[in-house]
């Protein structure tokens, strides 16, 4: 008997049937998690830019210590929270 294994790329993956309602719930959950991550990223950027602005006002010598120019700080502070 000559047994030749089937390559993984050609094997059929049999998935258990998922009811449409459950599939929609999973899709909604996945989208919700993605949205939460986006909002968390935006909040992190906004907080960073607020803190950077406060440091640049109160302790401008610290900006030099972290290796940024005044112009770079101004550009970063001027960005909107959704901009990377």
């Amino acid at each position: 008997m000559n047994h030749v294994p089937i390559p993984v790329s050609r094997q059929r993956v049999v998935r258990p049937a998922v009811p449409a309602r459950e599939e929609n719930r999973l899709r909604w959950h996945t989208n919700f998690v993605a949205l939460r991550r986006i909002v968390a990223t935006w909040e992190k950027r906004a907080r960073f830019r607020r803190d950077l602005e406060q440091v640049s006002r109160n302790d401008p010598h610290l900006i030099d210590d972290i290796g940024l120019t005044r112009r770079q700080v101004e550009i970063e502070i001027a960005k909107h929270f959704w901009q990377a």
Side-chain angles (χ1 to χ4, degrees), residues 14-74:
V14 179
R15 295 190 177 112
V18 177
R21 187 177 272 174
E22 180 70 14
E23 187 175 316
N24 286 338
R25 188 186 72 75
L26 290 173
R27 186 176 298 125
W28 180 87
H29 178 72
T30 302
N31 291 339
F32 181 73
V33 169
L35 180 61
R36 294 270 305 166
R37 286 182 182 153
I38 291 169
V39 171
T41 300
W42 287 350
E43 289 173 342
K44 185 177 175 182
R45 287 178 188 161
R47 187 172 37 254
F48 170 75
R49 290 174 182 151
R50 253 191 329 267
D51 292 346
L52 184 63
E53 183 177 20
Q54 186 176 6
V55 168
S56 71
R57 279 193 206 141
N58 298 338
D59 299 314
H61 64 280
L62 292 179
I63 299 300
D64 294 333
D65 291 348
I66 61 174
L68 294 176
T69 65
R70 183 70 188 157
R71 183 68 184 140
Q72 288 171 322
V73 171
E74 290 170 357

